[in-house]
Amino acid sequence: MPSPRLWRHPLALAPRALRPWLAARGSLTARLMAHFPDIRVSVLRQGWDQPHTDEIAILRLPRGSSQVAVREVLLASRGTPLVYAHSITARRALTRGFHLLGRTGSRPLGALLFADPTIRRSPLAWRCIDARHPLYQSARAATGPLPPRLWARRSLFHAGRDVLLVTEVFLPALLPAG
């Protein structure tokens, strides 16, 4: 399973057209809305699950950690999937810094995160993932066949002492054909 340090692939290795998407610090949903018509957020799953191996270290959870709150969504334009997003936080964060997470519904998570000036974002990290990574597998289950590799980025959002990890997997339709 990937370790957190592997989320530092050089951005120069990503396709040139994808680099601005990977490096943009603001709301990804707002950026998508500026470039694509009719962006919709479809909640694929929201509930409790085990964190992935590389998420345990990032969130500083104890090994064999109990379940975390998970939210998975698909951002699409006119039915074409553009981004698969996976967010997790510790159970205790749902009663404190990220208490609104459970009531986000199909609204973009960025609307909550970027509207609160007390929430801070860590630097972005990115990497290329393939069929061995659980997020690639989840994106494929949500969208169907995918190319052998996808680029993803992740960052931490801090609300006081609570942390939310957001990972965004960029799907092929986001890039121009060619």
Side-chain angles (χ1 to χ4, degrees):
M1 205 44 77
S3 72
R5 67 181 169 76
L6 294 179
W7 279 85
R8 285 292 182 191
H9 283 186
L11 192 56
L13 295 178
R16 183 177 305 278
L18 187 57
R19 292 176 202 163
W21 292 95
L22 289 166
R25 297 264 319 144
S27 166
L28 179 60
T29 305
R31 185 175 172 88
L32 288 169
M33 289 176 170
H35 289 83
F36 293 92
D38 195 29
I39 294 294
R40 299 278 185 234
V41 177
S42 300
V43 178
L44 302 172
R45 182 167 71 109
Q46 188 161 326
W48 305 102
D49 202 352
Q50 295 292 319
H52 301 151
T53 303
D54 63 344
E55 295 171 334
I56 292 170
I58 293 169
L59 288 178
R60 295 190 174 127
L61 298 168
R63 279 261 175 233
S65 197
S66 63
Q67 295 187 333
V68 293
V70 176
R71 181 174 192 259
E72 295 175 342
V73 301
L74 200 58
L75 295 115
S77 171
R78 296 185 175 162
T80 301
L82 301 171
V83 175
Y84 165 83
H86 171 87
S87 305
I88 70 164
T89 192
R91 183 179 295 262
R92 67 186 174 273
L94 292 181
T95 60
R96 299 186 317 209
F98 294 104
H99 64 279
L100 293 176
L101 186 64
R103 290 178 275 176
T104 305
S106 62
R107 287 176 292 161
L109 185 56
L112 166 73
L113 299 174
F114 291 100
D116 186 339
T118 65
I119 294 178
R120 297 175 337 273
R121 187 181 200 178
S122 73
L124 293 164
W126 45 83
R127 72 167 289 183
C128 193
I129 61 173
D130 60 26
R132 296 171 294 179
H133 197 282
L135 294 179
Y136 180 100
Q137 295 164 17
S138 295
R140 184 177 55 210
T143 65
L146 292 170
R149 290 179 308 282
L150 299 171
W151 277 85
R153 72 177 192 177
R154 67 175 24 163
S155 61
L156 291 168
F157 289 86
H158 300 269
R161 36 180 209 208
D162 296 314
V163 179
L164 173 73
L165 176 63
V166 177
T167 306
E168 297 149 330
V169 179
F170 294 83
L171 301 173
L174 186 67
L175 299 176

